[in-house]
């Protein structure tokens, strides 16, 4: 007698889903009916269960259930298939197995049946894939980990891990990650944004309070754990993110040491390299991938930013609070040192190891800082190592360091590296430069006051002013990033000196909001979708629709806020206050009263737009509030602020674009937002459909402008 349709339906998935089949009685999670994936250690080893090595089976013939080629729960009372025979199970045996699966009425069996259900198998597989991406089973294919035990030879005069040694380990780990992705040799192009949170010198417990000098212990015996992975690949370069943590083996405590970003360039001798794109899976990877393009843009314009700041702004010094009785000429801090590149200093490509160069640079910078403070300084931050060219074994490297400027509690040391081949050579190649920030800590780890530096005329004064400009940029960036929704005001003062940082933060904040993977679909009306995101104190919403307009056209039409009143009734008027540059503009927006407040609202908004960096990237229009001295709050209007909002445009096909609008709701708009999200109002939908009609009506107006995109 053959199998009944019900029995056949029960057994059919078993024949094609052997990699997911488990014995519900034998698996460690059997009582809950959780599927055990074959091949993972510690699973499928319950009572009477052999190790699982499962593979898909060929389609059965004549209604016979073919046994797996490997052993499957040989001693199991539920699935007792012969582990040592290749002969097919008889029809009676197949039928008996089917009936036992159908008749065993227990939560475990129904949990197993749900895995086999044809209606849910695809969803289960998708959930399993997402779980693997977010959980312990997933690992970024470019991730490289290095663990180093700190030995006495790795420490400095204070018993701390030498920063130079740490930079060697960081560079090696990052290089291996870059080469894993590129599949070819890679060289370091730059290393930037290194901020040291802790020095590696404590053992016992992680520092929660500032220890006294006599309580400080050596770092010997601690472990340094370094992780590096490629955040994003461009044409031939890639950004690698590095995280460094320290571990005390005795107490099992761990703490962060620093984070860093490195840029590597793939290099082949005979052909040009075109890197494959990274495929971010987790929310963190998607965020880093998206923001990496904006960081790259900042690196490319960094030198011009410094020049513009010096040309257009007056740098103020805090001379009043300094002890001017002790002035140190900058020339007294100058250090020059030469190193001969030997085979141990070279990497696997024959070039001087980038980490070794950075270690030598840190050494001379520390000497220069010590000559100013007459103490042992602590390195707190590295602005950027910029590798301008290579050097090889046999080259002589000349390291020059000098204190550029001393502030109240910190000092900046500039280092440059020149290379030459033979002693008779007069021409030297400038191959590297960096700026490092040092502090001097007292017995309670508090920064000490520093003497004033007297710059030398000419280049010394230029370096002095540039150091002040770099400090201002660092402070601006720290202030801009630290602004939270719960803190008022949300707006950040805008001026030319922080233009680049504000624009970067504006676009990056929107990209990070877009990359969130826990958006929830709240409603869908005529293919217009409304998503919400509740996270901590934030409530965000996201509207999405497909429009038969080219993505570049939609980008140009919506990036000019002066035209927004044509489709958005929440914009009564939008005045262009300042066209900062090609990509950034500031607008003064007037909106009608909201709710019971009779006063109209006004906003001062920075609009930053970005074209795609790569195929698959969206066009971006990011909006955030800023403050201007020319447009202060007046009694006539109720000043409102937007923290993060804007548009993204994805090209879905020829003349087809996915238009998405994002908004992180502020307190003043929260009631209005929740009314629309809960379906008590349809204003969101009406406004978004008006936007679609605006795009369709004006899509032919921008043909000349599209040639520039």
């Amino acid at each position: 007698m053959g199998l009944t349709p019900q029995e056949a339906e029960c057994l059919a998935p078993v024949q094609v889903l052997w990699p997911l089949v488990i014995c519900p009685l034998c698996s460690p999670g059997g009582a809950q009916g959780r599927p055990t994936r074959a091949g993972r250690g510690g699973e499928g080893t319950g009572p009477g269960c052999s190790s699982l090595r499962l593979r898909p089976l060929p389609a059965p013939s004549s209604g016979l259930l073919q046994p797996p080629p490997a052993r499957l729960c040989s001693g199991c009372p539920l699935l007792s298939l012969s582990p040592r025979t290749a002969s097919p199970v008889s029809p009676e045996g197949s039928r008996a197995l089917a009936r036992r699966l159908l008749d065993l009425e227990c939560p475990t069996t129904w949990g197993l049946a749900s895995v086999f259900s044809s209606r849910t198998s695809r969803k289960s597989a998708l959930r399993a894939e997402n779980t693997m991406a977010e959980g312990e089973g997933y690992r970024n294919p470019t991730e490289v980990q290095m663990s180093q035990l700190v030995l006495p030879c790795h420490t400095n005069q204070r018993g701390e891990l030498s920063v130079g040694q740490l930079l060697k380990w960081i560079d090696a780990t990052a290089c291996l990650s870059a080469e894993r992705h590129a599949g070819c040799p890679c060289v370091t192009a730059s290393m930037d944004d290194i901020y040291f949170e802790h020095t590696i010198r404590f053992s016992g417990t992680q520092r929660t309070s500032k220890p006294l000098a006599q309580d400080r212990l050596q770092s010997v015996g601690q472990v340094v754990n370094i992780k590096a992975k490629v955040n994003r690949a461009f044409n031939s370069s890639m950004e690698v993110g590095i995280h460094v943590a320290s571990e005390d083996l005795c107490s099992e405590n761990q703490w962060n040491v620093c984070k860093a970003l490195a840029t590597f360039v793939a290099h082949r001798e005979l052909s040009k390299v075109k890197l494959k794109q990274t495929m971010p899976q987790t929310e963190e990877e998607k965020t880093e991938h998206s923001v990496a393009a904006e960081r790259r843009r900042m690196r490319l314009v960094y030198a011009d930013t410094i020049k513009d700041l010096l040309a257009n702004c007056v740098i103020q010094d805090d001379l009043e609070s300094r002890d001017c009785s002790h002035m140190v000429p900058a020339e007294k801090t100058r250090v020059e040192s030469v190193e001969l590149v030997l085979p141990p200093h070279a990497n696997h490509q024959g070039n001087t190891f980038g980490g070794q160069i950075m270690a030598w640079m840190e050494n001379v910078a520390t000497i220069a800082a010590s000559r100013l403070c007459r103490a042992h300084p602590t390195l707190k931050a590295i602005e950027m190592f910029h590798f301008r060219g290579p050097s090889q074994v046999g080259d002589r490297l000349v390291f020059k360091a000098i204190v550029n400027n001393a502030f109240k509690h910190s000092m900046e040391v500039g280092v440059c590296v020149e290379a030459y081949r033979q002693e008779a050579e007069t021409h030297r190649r400038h191959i590297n430069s960096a700026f490092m920030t040092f502090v001097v800590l007292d017995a309670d780890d508090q920064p000490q006051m520093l003497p004033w530096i007297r710059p030398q005329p000419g280049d010394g004064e230029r370096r002095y002013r540039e150091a002040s400009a770099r400090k201002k940029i660092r402070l601006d960036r720290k202030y801009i990033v630290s602004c939270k929704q719960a803190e008022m005001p949300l707006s950040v003062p805008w001026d030319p000196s922080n233009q680049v940082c504000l624009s970067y933060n504006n676009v990056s904040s929107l990209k990070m909001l877009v990359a969130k993977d826990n958006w929830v679909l709240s409603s869908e009306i005529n293919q217009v979708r409304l998503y919400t995101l509740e996270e901590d104190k934030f409530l965000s919403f996201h509207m999405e629709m497909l429009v038969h307009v080219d993505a570049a056209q939609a980008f140009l039409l919506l990036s000019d806020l002066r035209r927004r009143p044509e489709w958005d009734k929440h914009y009564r008027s939008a005045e262009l206050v300042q066209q900062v540059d090609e990509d950034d503009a500031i607008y003064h927006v007037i909106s009608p009263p909201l709710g019971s407040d009779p006063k109209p609202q006004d906003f001062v908004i920075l609009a930053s737009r970005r074209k795609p960096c790569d195929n698959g990237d969206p066009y971006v229009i990011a909006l955030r509030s800023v403050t201007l001295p020319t447009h202060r709050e007046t009694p006539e209007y109720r000043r409102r602020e937007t923290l993060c909002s804007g548009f993204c445009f994805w090209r879905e096909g020829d003349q087809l674009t996915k238009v998405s609008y994002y908004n992180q709701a502020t307190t003043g708009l929260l009631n209005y937002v929740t009314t629309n999200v809960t379906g008590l109002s349809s204003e969101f939908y009406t406004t978004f459909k008006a936007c679609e009609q605006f795009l369709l009506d004006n899509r032919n107006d921008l043909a000349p402008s599209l040639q520039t995109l």
Side-chain angles (χ1 to χ4, degrees):
M1 182 183 297
L3 301 177
T4 66
Q6 189 179 15
E7 294 166 348
E9 181 181 1
C10 175
L11 286 178
V14 180
Q15 303 163 42
V16 295
L17 292 176
W18 278 119
L20 286 177
V21 174
I22 65 163
C23 167
L25 298 181
C26 295
S27 76
Q32 287 77 33
R34 293 194 298 264
T36 300
R37 191 173 294 272
R40 293 185 60 177
E43 298 179 342
T45 56
C49 184
S50 303
S51 61
L52 304 183
R53 283 175 25 195
L54 307 178
R55 296 188 291 271
L57 297 179
S61 59
S62 304
L64 302 182
L65 177 63
Q66 197 77 11
R71 292 179 292 172
L72 175 64
C73 299
S74 57
C76 174
L78 178 62
L79 300 181
S80 54
L81 302 179
S82 174
R84 296 179 179 86
T85 177
S87 60
V89 181
S90 65
E92 291 77 10
S94 299
R95 185 173 184 180
L97 172 61
R99 287 208 171 274
R100 297 189 76 176
L101 285 170
L102 290 169
D103 295 341
L104 186 58
E105 296 183 357
C106 67
T108 298
T109 306
W110 292 119
L112 180 64
S114 67
V115 177
F116 294 153
S117 172
S118 59
R119 291 177 296 176
T120 61
S121 60
R122 287 191 298 270
K123 295 181 179 179
S124 299
L126 180 59
R127 284 196 297 268
E129 180 181 343
N130 292 337
T131 301
M132 291 286 285
E134 294 287 354
E136 295 179 358
Y138 170 77
R139 180 172 176 177
N140 189 296
T142 68
E143 182 179 303
V144 172
Q145 299 184 18
M146 176 186 289
S147 294
Q148 292 285 352
L149 185 65
V150 179
L151 302 176
C153 60
H154 300 145
T155 60
N156 59 20
Q157 70 279 1
R158 294 192 304 275
E160 301 170 354
L161 173 64
S162 167
V163 175
Q165 180 62 59
L166 179 60
L167 291 172
K168 291 182 186 180
W169 292 338
I170 288 175
D171 188 59
T173 310
C175 182
L176 292 174
S177 175
E179 291 186 349
R180 177 173 291 185
H181 178 74
C184 65
C186 296
V187 296
T188 312
S190 68
M191 185 86 68
D192 56 11
D193 284 341
I194 308 178
Y195 296 95
F196 296 96
E197 301 178 30
H198 294 284
T199 55
I200 303 175
R201 63 178 173 185
F202 309 105
S203 62
T205 58
Q206 181 179 354
R207 181 173 65 173
T208 56
S209 60
K210 299 179 176 61
L212 299 177
Q214 60 268 25
D215 297 327
R216 295 174 180 166
L217 300 175
Q218 303 296 316
S219 64
V220 173
Q222 293 183 357
V223 175
V224 178
N225 298 310
I226 306 173
K227 289 184 180 181
K229 61 182 178 181
V230 176
N231 290 333
R232 179 160 187 164
F234 301 98
N235 289 331
S236 60
S237 66
M238 66 205 93
E239 180 189 274
V240 179
I242 306 115
H243 177 259
V244 183
S246 183
E247 175 185 1
D248 189 293
L249 296 177
C250 298
S251 64
E252 298 185 357
N253 286 325
Q254 299 186 25
W255 56 93
N256 294 329
V257 176
C258 70
K259 293 183 179 181
L261 297 168
T263 302
F264 282 82
V265 177
H267 177 71
R268 285 196 187 102
E269 293 292 341
L270 302 178
S271 61
K272 188 175 181 180
V273 178
K274 175 64 176 177
L275 292 173
K276 62 183 178 182
Q277 294 300 310
T278 55
M279 302 297 293
Q281 299 295 324
T282 67
E283 179 181 315
E284 178 188 359
E285 290 176 1
K286 292 174 183 177
T287 300
E288 294 295 339
H289 179 272
S290 182
V291 177
E294 196 64 20
R295 286 194 290 254
R296 179 173 181 258
R297 184 177 185 271
M298 282 194 68
R299 292 186 190 103
L300 295 176
V301 302
Y302 183 78
D304 292 335
T305 302
I306 296 292
K307 291 179 181 178
D308 292 342
L309 182 58
L310 293 174
N312 301 321
C313 300
V314 178
I315 304 297
Q316 300 291 335
D317 289 308
D318 54 345
L319 298 179
E320 301 81 6
S321 59
R322 294 186 183 178
D323 180 10
C324 298
S325 61
H326 184 202
M327 294 184 296
V328 178
E331 199 62 26
K332 289 189 66 174
T333 69
R334 184 181 297 276
V335 179
E336 183 170 320
S337 179
V338 65
E339 297 285 352
L340 175 62
V341 181
L342 300 174
H345 303 142
N347 59 21
H348 53 298
Q349 306 166 42
N351 296 323
T352 311
F353 177 43
Q356 180 63 68
I357 295 178
M358 290 190 286
W360 282 332
M361 295 174 71
E362 186 269 337
N363 178 62
V364 296
T366 301
I367 296 173
S370 300
R371 289 181 175 175
L372 174 69
C373 61
R374 296 301 173 186
H376 296 304
T378 298
L379 181 60
K380 296 299 292 182
I382 300 174
E383 188 80 15
M384 177 181 289
F385 287 107
H386 184 200
F387 290 83
R388 301 172 181 268
S391 61
Q392 293 80 31
V393 173
D395 281 349
R396 283 76 169 166
L397 303 185
V398 179
F399 296 83
K400 299 179 179 179
I402 191 171
V403 176
N404 291 331
N405 201 339
F407 307 100
K408 187 174 183 179
H409 294 116
S410 66
M411 64 186 110
E412 181 193 277
V413 180
V415 188
C416 75
V417 186
E418 298 175 341
Y420 64 96
R421 191 69 181 175
Q422 300 294 335
E423 291 295 342
E425 288 184 12
T426 58
H427 175 69
R428 295 180 177 180
R429 310 186 311 274
H430 183 192
I431 64 168
N432 206 337
S433 59
F435 302 101
M436 307 184 193
T437 301
F438 289 85
V439 297
V440 179
L441 302 177
D442 60 17
D444 296 323
D445 278 357
Q446 295 299 311
Q448 295 183 352
M449 292 276 291
L450 295 175
W452 179 44
I453 195 83
R454 185 195 308 150
Q456 296 295 112
D459 285 344
E461 293 176 344
R462 174 185 58 80
R463 291 193 299 266
Y464 181 88
R465 298 184 68 239
E466 288 177 352
S468 297
R470 281 186 290 270
K471 182 185 179 184
K472 175 170 173 47
I473 291 176
R474 288 193 298 270
L475 294 176
D476 285 341
R477 181 167 56 182
K478 182 178 180 181
Y479 172 72
I480 291 167
V481 173
S482 68
C483 285
K484 306 295 182 182
Q485 181 175 359
E487 301 171 2
M488 295 298 287
L490 302 177
S491 302
V492 176
W494 185 93
D495 63 65
S497 67
N498 66 358
Q499 168 194 334
V500 174
C501 295
L502 258 178
S503 179
Y504 163 78
N505 182 258
N506 190 16
V507 176
S508 298
S509 297
L510 179 61
K511 287 185 174 182
M512 287 189 282
L513 186 63
V514 173
K516 299 287 185 182
D517 60 1
N518 48 345
W519 289 96
V520 177
L521 179 63
S522 295
S523 65
E524 181 174 358
I525 306 175
N526 293 337
Q527 297 182 335
V528 176
R529 297 179 176 181
L530 171 62
Y531 297 84
T532 57
L533 172 65
E534 296 182 47
E535 197 172 46
D536 297 330
K537 299 179 181 179
F538 297 93
L539 173 63
S540 305
F541 68 90
H542 159 209
M543 303 285 293
E544 179 181 287
M545 66 180 174
L546 289 176
V547 183
H548 291 278
V549 176
D550 183 75
Q553 291 175 314
F555 171 69
L556 286 174
L557 284 168
L558 296 185
S559 61
D560 187 357
L561 295 191
R562 291 174 297 184
R563 300 199 64 179
R564 189 156 170 174
E566 297 180 32
W567 59 269
D568 188 351
K569 68 176 185 178
H570 302 95
Y571 273 51
R572 180 178 292 176
S573 66
E575 171 198 1
L576 178 62
V577 176
Q578 184 173 351
Q579 186 69 48
V580 179
D581 55 28
E582 181 183 357
D583 296 323
D584 296 277
I586 299 177
Y587 296 87
H588 184 220
V589 176
I590 307 296
S591 295
L594 188 64
S596 59
D597 191 347
K599 286 188 178 181
Q601 305 174 97
D602 74 332
F603 301 79
V604 179
I605 294 178
L606 171 66
S608 304
R609 66 178 196 171
R610 298 289 187 271
K611 291 171 279 190
C613 181
D614 251 323
N615 291 333
D617 284 356
Y619 290 87
V620 175
I621 303 171
L623 309 173
R624 71 157 297 159
S625 290
V626 295
T627 58
L628 286 175
T630 57
H631 288 72
R632 300 185 184 276
E633 185 175 0
T634 62
E636 183 181 358
Y637 301 107
R638 182 78 63 193
R639 176 60 54 91
R640 296 293 187 187
E641 297 170 309
T642 176
L643 178 63
C644 176
S645 62
F647 290 91
C648 288
F649 310 90
W650 283 272
R651 182 173 278 115
E652 297 290 317
D654 186 28
Q655 296 295 313
L656 184 64
T657 300
K658 182 172 74 173
V659 179
S660 296
Y661 175 74
Y662 297 83
N663 194 308
Q664 201 168 55
T666 53
T667 307
L669 301 176
L670 196 58
N671 183 58
Y672 173 71
V673 171
T674 54
T675 302
N676 279 268
V677 168
T678 55
L680 300 178
S681 173
S682 61
E683 287 192 35
F684 280 3
Y685 168 76
T686 304
T687 302
F688 217 50
K689 293 299 288 185
C691 176
E692 177 186 19
Q693 193 60 48
F694 169 77
L695 294 174
L696 293 173
D697 293 343
N698 295 276
R699 58 184 170 180
N700 297 322
D701 296 349
L702 299 171
S705 301
L706 292 176
Q707 299 176 2
T708 63
L709 293 180

